[in-house]
Amino acid sequence: MLDYQAPLRDMQFILEELAGLERIGELPGCEDALPDLVSAVLEEAGKFAAGVLAPLNPVGDQQGCRLKGERVVTPEGWQAAYDQFREAGWIGLSLPPEHGGQGLPKLVSSPVWEMWFSANMAFAMLPQLNVGQTEALTIAANEAQKATWLDKIVSGEWAATMNLTEPQAGSDLAATRMRAEPEGDDAYRLFGQKIFISYGEHELTPNIVHLVLARLPDAPPGVKGLSLFLVPKYLLDEQGEPGQRNDIRCIAIEHKMGIHGSPTCTLSYGDDGGALGYLVGEPHQGLATMFVMMNEARFNVGIQGLALGERAYQAALAYARERVQGRDIVTGEAGKAILTHPDVKRMLVSMRARLMAMRGLLYSAAGWFDLARHHPEAEAADKYRRYVDLLMPVAKGWCTEVGNDLCDEAIQVFGGMGFVEETGVAQLFRDARVITIYEGTTGIQANDLLGRKILREDAATLRELIADIRQTAGRLDGHEHLGDLAQPLHDLATLLDQSADWLLAHQADTAELYAGAVPLLHLLGIACGAWQMARLALAAEARRTAGDGDPDYLTGLSELARFYLATQAPQAHAHGHTLRHAGAVLSRFSEQAL
Amino acid sequence: MLDYQAPLRDMQFILEELAGLERIGELPGCEDALPDLVSAVLEEAGKFAAGVLAPLNPVGDQQGCRLKGERVVTPEGWQAAYDQFREAGWIGLSLPPEHGGQGLPKLVSSPVWEMWFSANMAFAMLPQLNVGQTEALTIAANEAQKATWLDKIVSGEWAATMNLTEPQAGSDLAATRMRAEPEGDDAYRLFGQKIFISYGEHELTPNIVHLVLARLPDAPPGVKGLSLFLVPKYLLDEQGEPGQRNDIRCIAIEHKMGIHGSPTCTLSYGDDGGALGYLVGEPHQGLATMFVMMNEARFNVGIQGLALGERAYQAALAYARERVQGRDIVTGEAGKAILTHPDVKRMLVSMRARLMAMRGLLYSAAGWFDLARHHPEAEAADKYRRYVDLLMPVAKGWCTEVGNDLCDEAIQVFGGMGFVEETGVAQLFRDARVITIYEGTTGIQANDLLGRKILREDAATLRELIADIRQTAGRLDGHEHLGDLAQPLHDLATLLDQSADWLLAHQADTAELYAGAVPLLHLLGIACGAWQMARLALAAEARRTAGDGDPDYLTGLSELARFYLATQAPQAHAHGHTLRHAGAVLSRFSEQAL
């Protein structure tokens, strides 16, 4: 079994030096995020992740979930772990205090979620849904609904789900067919089938609150005709407790390549007269609210990329330190661990460099999220909101792609032992394969980035971001220890500018343009990673010069940045070349020649 | 279930236009390889692959193999398929006629093996071992041994295995501990344990012939003390038929992520007095012979990369043509298949381009293999032997990495349906994960390429190859339809030359040098692929201009070459940058900072 230890030192360094923990703690509403409290939270979470959740990860994989009639049986230990998790108050960590949450900033909850996903992603998907649903209901539900449902969702007494997909409506929600018929008093009867519903049915909680996209009888076609409904598994009795079973059935669970511990359900609504549900927000405005929940989910899936990569890295590093094989290529000495082989070392350094780049980007984005929500000045808040919007598809799309690469590389470090299931790294690889797919595939993220986030505003926010990157590059110019990093970072900024110019100049050639969406997403991801790594190196050198911290650790961070630029920056330039040159070939390529 | 159709048109085109089928058919010993016969062989193999082997692929995955006591139970249908396969004479296709084979060139058998691996890799691993073992015994066994064993191995009446790995001896065979004690009359008693033995035990054949690396009592340490032994599961009686059971036990089979239909066995030799075996070749010379078998296996694993990629491509293309989702990004029209989305089309064109590049390289290498063996002029034969030697690690290392990428991309085309097991593409992805590991990991291939194949001869063969690439680029210069491909190919040749210069100049810095081995392997793989794609485009344009063939198909091939250069050539330059710049950072990077 794989061990897991929360990488507290790395997390703390990035929270403090890159994501501005101190500044976030000064924002109105974030005053609880004091350094000591944050450290204590991270340490406790690390213990829970390592001690309770991580040992259950292989159990979930091996046992999976079973459908018995219409009941879903989750793996052994899931119930006890969920009860402990809920009782410890972890679900409400970043949720509104008025509903029982602790109201800590997203910057603090992000590393904690990283730990849950590293330890046991299939398990952590369950409470993650409560967070997203709370965000959505907070924005769109009326006061009575909030009073009825939110406390129990924030505490985790009841579980939550998100019901979007139907067999004919996956990436394209416009094709949604589920219908809702009025039943008086804000109540509706729902009819139809939803698929791919994570934790759509289970008995870990006495109730499950489904948020469901459906069409009212007078709905216009397309996504502008989607309304959002809250549909509980059990209707509430007069005391507000789960009473009569609603007309929802789990008719199948998927047999998946990974995340076996998380039941993926097909739910049938209304086979027996209609499932009773309540409209959330205005009619036909459901998609916007669902997007709040989905954006929360997308950011968290980006964190899953980091988290699985971290777990895979820890496993690979431990194996590489322990496994003796071959001779030292320089000294010829036998009996050395494989970590001494240059190619194995290359894989591990490369993994760690990309982990730090992802962590830098994701935690920074979490900080921007808090700044957007809490910054007292509207203009500053707006800038951070635009940063979050621009980079959400990168956080999701790029970090999940990189997370997959890291799990793949970890198997390579294990060699043949990586391909057998007993070492556990194969599970990480199989689990990771879903993250570039669910909550919007990489292609969907890339289209969102290109169309809604860049072209729609003539790349305005992207240009602001590029200016920030240039400013960091400027701090490297002539730097005593890091001067060699300046030019590659300047070059990436220039590449981004040229790419933006190219995109704006080719807006008329839609097919050619969108053929470059995924290369663009990779390019921007790598460039943002390089920016964060440069900031990391600057912070590490500053601390080292000030004698503040372990000099080996700090020098290691600078070298990681150097390695990142030597290996990843050329990839960004390659993606830039592809962006500019492949679309034209592709758009005239005949489908018949495939 | 996934359909499979052998891509006969593509195979024929590459055999004829890139791999020189006609020329091979004129070599002494290859006269049977007449175009009509070759076409008939490919067509029959295609039918067998699609009709018999492909439908069993998911059965093997779902049922896997079971260990009952010391017996291994293979999946349902395996026995009948093997009997049919053997009776049809497929095993001996390229094997020596003096032992019952058909003696066709490797160029002809290579596409046939591609089909077997596409259809059912876990199954095809069994007869593949007979081919490798025949190659090894032909070279090293004495006449009596050949007479006793080879006919039955060539016919497939008996199965074959390759026993190298031990728990402490994986990539490092010098650590082999299995011992062999003389028992008189060329016989020996073997003692020890071998792991990861594919088809190490099963009952599909009445006997199994193991080739086993072990140490004689007087063996020097290291790889120069390894001898090769033939150890049958059943000792032969006086009629040469399987009689008494030998002292070999299957004590475990691995629980693997993929290739479930292929039992991966732990074999214990000599628990009851010693397993009787026969020395093959000279004492202490076993590794050289085993390398003959391993090289055969490595080339075939490269073909597995192509084969799994082809199957994944066919699955993804069929799904992309059938699955309706979203609107046409140009016309806004609904009800279109996802293939119309630029990003999905990008993935499929990219897959097909890389398939053709791999096929061009692998079939060309198969042709060089035949030329090396049969060319009447020693100098020419020698050149092709050197090409085979240089490019074997690329054929294995690069094609398996690309094959994995293609299976990954196929899942992405399927979206959520790719992550559920029922569509079958997840199996390809899981199966593929072993091919960059077994028969030498990508890192091992890359070290072989760099050390034994390039540095040891001061890059002499590499320079010859670069000259060939330049010659092809020269044919593109000023070409009416393909002139734009010239410069990128010239640039790749220059990149290869510069990389070779850099390697030779840095020979003293071993750690720095070998940190670049894998980037070098990718770089050379992509460049060879680009070379083959350029040759493909030249051949397609020549045929199109001559009015010989479907113009849409031929134009498609040229466009594939163009797309390959636009997307892959920049990756090669990125790897070149990494090769030159990352090693220095890496070699001074402290292991403590990981």
Side-chain angles (χ1 to χ4, degrees), chain A residues 523-541:
Chain A
L523 189 174
L524 185 53
I526 294 171
C528 287
W531 175 36
Q532 297 301 324
M533 292 305 278
R535 298 180 64 222
L536 185 82
L538 284 163
E541 279 304 311

Side-chain angles (χ1 to χ4, degrees), chain A residues 9 62 166-175 195-196 254-259 313 317 321 323-327 329-330 339-340 342-343 345-346 348-350 352 401 404 407-412 415-422 426-427 429-434 436-437 441-444 447 510-512 514-519 552-553 556-557 559-560 562-563 565-568 570-571 573-575 577-578 581-583 585-594, chain B residues 9 62 166-175 195-196 254-259 313 317 321 323-327 329-330 339-340 342-343 345-346 348-350 352 401 404 407-412 415-422 426-427 429-434 436-437 441-444 447 510-512 514-519 552-553 556-557 559-560 562-563 565-568 570-571 573-575 577-578 581-583 585-594:
Chain A
R9 180 157 72 163
Q62 285 151 27
E166 299 178 12
Q168 77 296 341
S171 298
D172 180 17
L173 291 172
I195 63 168
F196 290 170
E254 302 292 345
H255 176 217
K256 308 183 300 291
M257 181 160 56
I259 52 168
Y313 167 73
L317 179 60
R321 285 198 161 130
R323 169 73 173 167
V324 170
Q325 193 74 180
R327 285 168 184 280
I329 203 161
V330 178
L339 181 53
T340 56
D343 187 57
K345 189 175 169 189
R346 175 188 65 81
L348 287 158
V349 173
S350 174
R352 177 152 164 74
E401 294 281 340
N404 269 275
C407 292
D408 178 75
E409 202 135 39
I411 289 189
Q412 203 63 22
M417 292 307 291
F419 192 66
V420 302
E421 291 283 357
E422 69 189 276
Q427 181 193 346
F429 178 75
R430 290 185 287 97
D431 285 356
R433 193 59 192 84
V434 76
T436 61
I437 296 172
T441 63
T442 305
I444 294 288
N447 286 352
T510 318
E512 181 178 349
Y514 278 84
V518 166
D552 288 342
Y553 175 72
L557 295 182
E559 290 286 42
L560 278 183
R562 200 164 269 121
F563 184 82
L565 281 165
T567 55
Q568 298 298 308
Q571 296 286 338
H573 290 282
H575 288 299
H577 184 96
T578 296
H581 293 93
V585 188
L586 205 67
S587 63
R588 67 169 182 262
F589 196 95
S590 162
E591 285 169 19
Q592 302 316 313
L594 283 169
Chain B
R9 182 157 71 164
Q62 285 150 28
E166 299 178 12
Q168 78 296 340
S171 297
D172 180 18
L173 291 171
I195 63 167
F196 290 169
E254 301 293 345
H255 176 216
K256 307 183 300 292
M257 180 159 56
I259 52 167
Y313 166 73
L317 179 60
R321 285 197 161 133
R323 168 73 172 166
V324 170
Q325 193 75 179
R327 287 171 181 278
I329 204 161
V330 178
L339 180 53
T340 56
D343 188 56
K345 190 175 168 189
R346 175 188 66 80
L348 287 158
V349 172
S350 174
R352 177 153 164 74
E401 293 282 341
N404 269 275
C407 293
D408 178 73
E409 201 135 41
I411 289 189
Q412 203 62 22
M417 292 308 291
F419 192 66
V420 301
E421 291 283 358
E422 69 188 276
Q427 182 193 344
F429 178 75
R430 289 185 287 98
D431 285 356
R433 193 60 194 82
V434 76
T436 60
I437 297 172
T441 63
T442 305
I444 293 289
N447 286 354
T510 318
E512 181 179 347
Y514 279 85
V518 166
D552 289 342
Y553 175 73
L557 295 181
E559 290 287 43
L560 278 182
R562 200 163 270 122
F563 184 82
L565 282 165
T567 55
Q568 298 298 309
Q571 296 287 337
H573 290 281
H575 287 299
H577 184 98
T578 295
H581 294 93
V585 188
L586 206 67
S587 62
R588 70 170 180 262
F589 195 95
S590 162
E591 285 169 22
Q592 303 316 310
L594 282 169

Side-chain angles (χ1 to χ4, degrees), chain B residues 192-205:
Chain B
Q193 194 182 95
K194 293 286 182 181
I195 63 167
F196 290 169
I197 309 306
S198 296
Y199 284 96
E201 172 54 20
H202 58 81
E203 297 177 351
L204 298 168
T205 51

